[in-house]
Amino acid sequence: MELRQIIEQAWENRELLKESDTVEAIRSVIEDLDKGILRVAEPNGEEWKVNEWVKKAVLLYFPIQQMKTIEVGPFEFHDKIALKRNYEQLGVRVVPHAVARYGAYLANGVVMMPSYVNIGAYVGAGTMVDTWATVGSCAQVGKNVHLSGGVGLGGVLEPVQAAPVIIEDGAFIGSRSILVEGCRIGKEAVIGAGVTITGSSKIFDVTGSEEKVYKGYVPPRSVVIPGSYTKKFPAGEFQVPCALIIGQRKESTDLKTSLNDVLRDHAVAV
């Protein structure tokens, strides 16, 4: 029986979690997530495909796990999910106190400053996860992305049909930005500091003579800053947060947002 079929059956009938074949199948999916063989979401042409059954496997992993004490030097944790291991073999640079959970994929060349990556997440090659940035469960981050200090990428497990946060290759996410609820940031887009985008956020392209509006999606190479617009409520008119596309990425923007290669080079002390 295929892994997907076993997971789907266990999702409908939790009594199957008592059977060894089901437990083995769930563990196999999480191992494949950890290795990057499976992904919660993956590119499908110009769009993205969400693999709901993989998200179900992540959710089913919790009830089959037992709480354990994890000791790391003088530090102690008590949880159901193990910490990720073997960073040297993976080619990942991890600065104390960075933490990634087992079941999260980190590609070769990823740099983790003190930060957090949750189970089901995917982080592509050469990406910088800067200080106190968080990559939520199942978030998908492409290659050569820079998640600046304090960036928050929301996690998504339930509902299972919900799309995860997606950051495509080469994007720059400015400090303290919050990206949640299945929003999608296109390739090489630049998100300014303090921008908040959800799956339902209005994103106004103000570069042309006429307003153009996107919802939860930033087109490739767009430069985005925080904004607001006036909305009418029964109690009156109030300013509501939004995001503004103010231009396209240029060479000068690349220079401002580029991460010095020395920071990515594991052989150079910084």
Side-chain angles (χ1 to χ4, degrees):
M1 190 182 298
E2 292 185 357
L3 281 178
R4 179 171 182 171
Q5 187 177 356
I6 296 173
I7 299 301
E8 294 285 9
Q9 288 181 353
W11 183 257
E12 296 300 327
N13 180 10
R14 301 303 168 92
E15 288 296 313
L16 294 175
L17 294 178
K18 299 175 182 177
E19 298 186 3
S20 60
D21 287 350
T22 302
V23 171
E24 184 179 337
I26 294 169
R27 296 195 190 283
S28 179
V29 172
I30 304 305
E31 181 179 354
D32 284 350
L33 279 171
D34 191 77
K35 295 177 178 178
I37 297 171
L38 283 175
R39 296 179 64 170
V40 168
E42 56 192 339
N44 183 23
E46 294 299 316
E47 301 300 320
W48 282 72
K49 173 188 174 185
V50 178
N51 297 314
E52 294 180 9
W53 73 274
V54 178
K55 289 174 65 179
K56 291 176 180 177
V58 175
L59 286 166
L60 293 173
Y61 186 57
F62 287 89
I64 68 170
Q65 288 290 101
Q66 300 298 315
M67 294 291 290
K68 290 183 179 180
T69 296
I70 305 168
E71 293 186 354
V72 184
F75 299 99
E76 181 180 300
F77 305 91
H78 191 57
D79 192 24
K80 289 188 170 188
I81 311 298
L83 300 180
K84 198 169 179 69
R85 303 172 64 91
N86 302 318
Y87 290 116
E88 183 178 1
Q89 294 92 320
L90 296 173
V92 175
R93 182 178 178 182
V94 181
V95 178
H97 297 278
V99 174
R101 277 173 129 184
Y102 174 70
Y105 175 70
L106 304 176
N108 185 281
V110 166
V111 177
M112 284 182 65
M113 300 303 284
S115 54
Y116 182 77
V117 179
N118 206 351
I119 186 172
Y122 181 103
V123 183
T127 285
M128 164 67 82
V129 185
D130 221 328
T131 305
W132 307 136
T134 56
V135 181
S137 58
C138 303
Q140 305 292 297
V141 182
K143 297 182 293 185
N144 300 317
V145 170
H146 187 173
L147 302 178
S148 300
V151 163
L153 304 186
V156 56
L157 283 174
E158 295 186 276
V160 292
Q161 70 270 20
V165 173
I166 295 170
I167 313 295
E168 296 184 349
D169 296 351
F172 178 93
I173 312 300
S175 181
R176 306 296 177 185
S177 294
I178 300 173
L179 309 174
V180 297
E181 294 178 18
C183 69
R184 177 182 162 197
I185 309 301
K187 292 181 179 179
E188 299 182 338
V190 176
I191 307 300
V195 172
T196 297
I197 299 177
T198 73
S200 58
S201 291
K202 287 189 175 182
I203 302 164
F204 295 93
D205 186 338
V206 296
T207 59
S209 57
E210 294 186 6
E211 175 188 286
K212 188 173 184 179
V213 183
Y214 299 92
K215 185 171 284 190
Y217 170 66
V218 174
R221 295 190 67 83
S222 298
V223 177
V224 180
I225 64 170
S228 63
Y229 67 99
T230 303
K231 186 173 181 179
K232 292 183 179 181
F233 295 93
E237 295 185 353
F238 297 91
Q239 295 300 302
V240 176
C242 68
L244 303 177
I245 298 174
I246 60 169
Q248 290 289 299
R249 188 167 180 161
K250 303 174 183 176
E251 287 187 15
S252 58
T253 310
D254 291 340
L255 289 173
K256 291 179 182 178
T257 59
S258 65
L259 185 65
N260 194 317
D261 286 341
V262 74
L263 293 176
R264 302 189 191 274
D265 191 342
H266 299 184
V268 179
V270 176

